[in-house]
């Protein structure tokens, strides 16, 4: 590469976790990945041309969905390689610094934050759970629950109760679905070290038309992965009309919590 170079930041880890084994790994523009160290922290970085990655050209790139997808995949490949060596904090896509000294200052200034974040993710992995609603099935499930208290009354009265419950369920299905999604999230959090509800995915971005009720990310102890997956299966059976999708394991993007604007 020619011209002025900036520094793209992939992840931060503790230097004692063998990041030197990343030799041969390349980044988003095919650049060799290298280490910027400060004390016992190590930032995994790559050099990128500023003519393409300064603020204005980078903003244009981020509007290009093909570029974004390709770059995100390459960024994640580096992050995943780092995570395989030990606990690491992934940095968000397009975190670019002017030079290595700026990265080193970040490590020094935010050392306590990085140490705390690394301690949080040690021995843990991120998992995603999405809940999708079937409006018809969910309306029927809500109506059945509402009418269940009238099951012992006469046949005619029970029929009217079921019809009232069905009509009411149509009006309240959005609220009931949100309540059930919150109950699912609360149960999952109890089986995780941490959990977050993320913004619901825009169908225009995901390419799916499903009615999404929950987009959750959970930091799970590695020895409790099977337990967490079993809980997802159990919850899927407990909530008719809602389908749960478990994905992972992922690097702990949702639990970094130490990002700042690049300089």
């Amino acid at each position: 590469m020619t011209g002025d170079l900036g520094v793209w930041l992939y992840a931060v880890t503790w230097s004692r976790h063998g990041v030197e084994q990343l030799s041969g790994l390349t980044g988003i523009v095919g650049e060799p990945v290298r280490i910027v160290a400060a004390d016992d922290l190590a930032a995994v970085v790559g050099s990128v041309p500023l003519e393409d990655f300064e603020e204005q050209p980078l903003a244009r790139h981020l509007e290009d969905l093909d570029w974004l997808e390709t770059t995100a995949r390459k960024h994640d490949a580096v992050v995943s390689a780092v995570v395989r060596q030990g606990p690491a904090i992934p940095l968000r896509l397009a975190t670019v610094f002017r030079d290595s000294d700026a990265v080193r200052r970040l490590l020094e200034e935010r050392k306590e934050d990085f140490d705390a974040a690394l301690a949080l993710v040690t021995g843990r992995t991120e998992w995603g759970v999405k809940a999708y609603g079937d409006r018809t099935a969910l309306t029927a499930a809500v109506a059945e629950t509402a009418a269940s208290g009238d099951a012992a009354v006469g046949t005619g009265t029970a029929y009217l109760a079921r019809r009232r419950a069905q009509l009411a369920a149509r009006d309240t299905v959005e609220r009931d679905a949100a309540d059930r999604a919150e109950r699912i999230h609360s149960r999952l959090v109890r089986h995780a070290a941490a959990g977050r509800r993320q913004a619901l995915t825009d169908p225009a971005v995901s390419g799916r038309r499903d009615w999404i009720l929950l987009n959750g990310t959970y930091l799970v102890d590695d020895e409790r992965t099977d337990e967490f997956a079993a809980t997802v299966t159990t919850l899927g059976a407990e909530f008719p009309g809602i389908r749960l999708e478990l994905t992972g394991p992922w690097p702990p993007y949702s639990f970094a919590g130490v990002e700042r604007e690049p300089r």
Side-chain angles (χ1 to χ4, degrees):
M1 289 181 287
T2 60
D4 293 336
L5 297 177
V7 180
W8 180 287
L9 181 52
Y10 293 96
V12 173
T13 184
W14 281 312
S15 55
R16 61 179 178 269
H17 284 297
V19 287
E20 68 277 358
Q21 297 178 33
L22 299 176
S23 59
L25 188 66
T26 57
I28 61 164
V29 294
E31 84 283 8
V33 168
R34 58 189 174 85
I35 300 301
V36 174
D39 197 4
D40 62 344
L41 292 176
V44 180
V45 306
S47 297
V48 295
L50 286 176
E51 63 180 0
D52 290 326
F53 291 94
E54 285 187 305
E55 185 174 354
Q56 291 185 351
L58 185 56
R60 290 193 297 271
H61 283 315
L62 293 174
E63 294 175 357
D64 181 340
L65 293 182
D66 289 336
W67 182 93
L68 190 60
E69 180 182 0
T70 299
T71 303
R73 186 168 59 248
K74 292 178 179 179
H75 178 87
D76 184 67
V78 175
V79 169
S80 296
V82 178
V83 168
R84 286 194 291 272
Q85 303 299 322
I89 300 301
L91 272 292
R92 65 179 173 84
L93 193 70
T95 302
V96 182
F97 290 79
R98 298 293 300 186
D99 53 37
S100 296
D101 286 340
V103 176
R104 197 170 289 108
R105 285 195 297 272
L106 172 71
L107 298 180
E108 292 169 348
E109 293 170 3
R110 303 296 300 276
K111 176 173 169 51
E112 290 186 5
D113 296 328
F114 280 118
D115 281 340
L118 286 166
L120 175 64
V121 303
T122 297
R124 295 166 175 155
T125 309
E126 179 171 324
W127 294 81
V129 177
K130 291 184 179 179
Y132 297 98
D134 179 323
R135 193 175 297 270
T136 300
L138 190 54
T139 299
V142 172
E144 181 179 350
T145 300
S148 61
D150 297 304
V153 301
T155 303
T157 303
Y159 171 77
L160 292 175
R162 286 196 299 273
R163 283 296 297 155
R164 285 195 299 270
Q166 289 167 357
L167 293 173
R170 292 175 188 171
D171 293 335
T172 64
V173 66
E174 299 270 352
R175 184 186 66 207
D176 291 321
D179 175 69
R180 292 173 187 226
E182 179 57 33
R183 288 159 60 192
I184 289 170
H185 174 67
S186 296
R187 289 269 297 275
L188 291 174
V189 168
R190 293 204 294 269
H191 293 270
R196 292 182 178 176
R197 293 192 67 165
Q198 307 292 348
L200 299 182
T201 308
D202 186 337
V205 175
S206 66
R208 302 179 61 161
R209 296 183 177 274
D210 308 63
W211 180 24
I212 184 167
L213 308 176
L214 170 68
N215 181 17
T217 52
Y218 306 89
L219 190 65
V220 180
D221 291 346
D222 291 337
E223 67 267 21
R224 299 185 67 186
T225 296
D226 290 343
E227 174 191 324
F228 185 80
T231 301
V232 173
T233 300
T234 298
L235 289 170
E238 286 184 16
F239 289 88
I242 295 179
R243 177 174 59 84
L244 299 183
E245 179 182 271
L246 174 66
T247 60
W250 307 111
Y253 286 100
S254 301
F255 303 95
V258 292
E259 294 174 356
R260 64 180 294 174
E261 289 301 310
R263 298 175 296 179

